[in-house]
Structures are given as C-alpha cells and as structure tokens.
Amino acid sequence: MKAARIHEFKKPLEIDEIPVPDPGPNQVLLKVSATGMCRSDFQLLDGYFAAGLPVDLPFTPGHEVAGTIAALGRGVPQDVDLGEGDLVIVDPNWGDGTCRQCNEGNQQLCSNGQLVGFGPNGGFAEYMLAPYDHVIAIRQAGAEAQYLAPLTDAGLTPYRGIKKLRAAGKLGPGRTLVVNGIGGLGSYGVQYAKLLGAGATVIAFARSDDKLAVARDNGADHTVNVRGKSVEDVQNELEDLTNRRDVDAVLDCAGSPDSLGLAAAVLATEGALSQVGLMGTKVELPLFPFVSGERSYYGSFWGNHNDLQEVLALASQGKIKHNVVTVKLDDVNDNLEALGRGDIVGRAVIVFD
Ligand code: FEH
Ligand code: ZN
C-alpha cells in the first residue's frame, strides 16, 4: 500500500510502498477513504510534539480518518455490529480504559492513552489499523467520507471548546462570543457558537478576508480582520459593531501569542477564554486583570466519545456545513507547507480511490 511517512523531522514526507498491515485480535483493518489534514500534522513533522508525543520513525501521520472495514481481527466479538465494507470513522483518542479520565469518559485526556496519527500510524495511507471499539459505523445513506473525516477533529475540537464556555455560563442573550482564527477548526467553531450560543452574538476574528467570508457564510454575525491592528483598533471596531469594547467569551482556534494577547485584552469582566489552537508554545495572561475581573482561561483538548456522537448527530441532521478542499496523497507535502503558512481556507482532506 501507499503511505506518506515521516522519515526525518523537518523533511518532506516520503510516499512509500509498504505492506498492508494485518489486524491484531481486537483490531480492524480500514481501507482509508478520507483523511483530514490538520495544522498539528505540520507541527508533528516540524518536531513540535517530539517531547510530548514521541513517534517511531518512519511514521505515518493522519488523525482525522474515515474509511471502510477491510478485515476484522479474529478476537472482535461476534456481537459487535461491524462488518467488512462498513463505512466508519475513527474515534481518535484511545485511552487505557482504567484511569480516572477514561472512567469519566474523557479518553482524550488519558495519560496512558494513544492518539491516532501521533503514536499509532494514521490515515496518510491507503490502509490503517484501529481498535474495533474505536471505530464508529456510519449507517446514514449518502454520508460521504470527505465530510465525515473532518468531524473527528476539526469538527470535534471546537465543539468541546464551545461546550466549555456554555458550561461556564458565558453564553446566552446579550452576550458576545468571539471565534478567533477561522481555519479548519474555526470554520466549524463559528457554527457551534451559533448552535450552542443560545442567542449570543458571534464575532469572527481572522487575518484574511477569505477566511472571514467563510465565517460569515457559516453564520457569524460580525467579522473583524485583525491583521496589523492594535488592541485599540479592534476595540473601536467592536464598539461600532456591538456598542461594547469587550466580549464575554472567546474560542481561540489559533493560539499564537498575538491571538492570545488580543483575546485576553478584549475579554470582559468574568469573561472566559477557551483555548483549542496550538500555534504558540506558552500562555501569557495579564495577571491582575484576570484575577480582579475573575476572568477564566480553559484549555480544551480534542473531544471525547460523547462529544463526537453529538457532532455526528448534528451533522446527520444537516446542521453542520463543511468547507472541504479535497487533495491527493501525492500532494501531501505541498498541503502541509500551505497549512504551516495558514494558506488553507477550510479543511484540506486527502481522498483515496
Ligand atoms: C492533536 C494531537 C496533539 C496536539 C493537537 C492535536 C489537535 O489536532 C487536536 O485537535
Ligand atoms: Zn487535529
């Protein structure tokens, strides 16, 4: 099979011809149909995760996968409703099933767990392996792999991030919610801001008009191009748009020092910032304003099984729009470089024949 593999960090992936793997007793072999491309794939290749998520080279990235079952391991229970040819998505976070986080249903937080495409080989290949209990069969007629794959990360991570803001009581009528960074995650994040915002006014921040057009098309009430603007410039635009110079909640899908600094600066008293973007390497927040204004900062990572089921339900009801650009495996390096530059509008998805 063809596989795009990391042989050396900071060097292009190599398209290799390698054997199709055999499923272990409790695994399924997937024929990959579609795999989303994430900025964290670019960061993986760049060595960003070398300490936290070490991988054995050569390594196949790809953590946002839909495919069809090609074979079942001999230990897959007979009563499991999975069969060859079934269209499935890969639930990407494989916990150990024993720790507190796993028992709370948050396998993405398991310190002994595995993240597909960041440990186990992923979907930048024609076939891949997954535990049988971490694939979800899609029974909806007409469901397309290129739109299912992104739901396992780009369409999942911002969903959990918005849920944190809702759980913190920061959304609702009269509230303003910024989605900062309209890339693969932000194009879904704007939609969840409207779906879960309970009437909050949704404002998109981005550095390109093309991405802000996606945000408007996906339901943003207002957009602000923040490229080259000071905090005061942005506060002036917020006042023109909302009659306020601050906002109650921010979903930051970028995570760069500039985006985090701007978000912290415009966050209102008792406001909350939910962080899903990882462009930077550290968090710097103004200490006294955060303490004296009881502002909150939440890290939010990927999503759990229930979050994913909720996203699948919204998608099956036609409540989620996709901004997908389909690409081929042979063009993986060009698209990784484009991701690194922030040049992809929407989500690039590798599609296989
Ligand atoms: C996955 C693994 C490690 C870091 C970041 C990510 C994100 O792509 C999850 O949304
Ligand atoms: Zn990702």
Side-chain angles (χ1 to χ4, degrees), residues 38 40 63-64 118 153 185 302 347:
C38 184
S40 53
H63 56 274
E64 194 175 84
F118 292 94
D153 180 20
L185 276 65
W302 220 323
R347 194 61 156 187

Side-chain angles (χ1 to χ4, degrees), residues 17 40 44 46-47 50-51 106 115 119 129 149 170 195 197 225 238-239 258 266 284-285 302 314 316 330 332 337:
E17 186 61 39
S40 53
L44 173 67
D46 200 42
N106 289 316
L115 307 174
L129 298 174
K170 306 306 178 185
L195 285 167
N225 190 321
L238 285 173
E239 190 166 24
D258 286 350
V266 299
E284 283 192 2
L285 297 169
W302 220 323
L314 289 171
S316 68
D330 289 343
V332 65
E337 287 168 18

Side-chain angles (χ1 to χ4, degrees), residues 3 17 36 51 58 82 92 122 147 154 163 182 187 189 191 227 247 266 288 337 342-343:
E17 186 61 39
L82 291 174
Y147 302 121
K163 282 177 73 174
I182 307 300
S187 65
Q191 299 179 70
R227 181 182 289 274
V247 299
V266 299
F288 184 65
E337 287 168 18
D343 286 354

Side-chain angles (χ1 to χ4, degrees), residues 327-346:
V327 301
K328 303 304 282 181
L329 187 66
D330 289 343
D331 298 325
V332 65
N333 286 306
D334 290 345
N335 285 290
L336 282 173
E337 287 168 18
L339 275 167
R341 295 192 304 267
D343 286 354
I344 301 278
V345 179

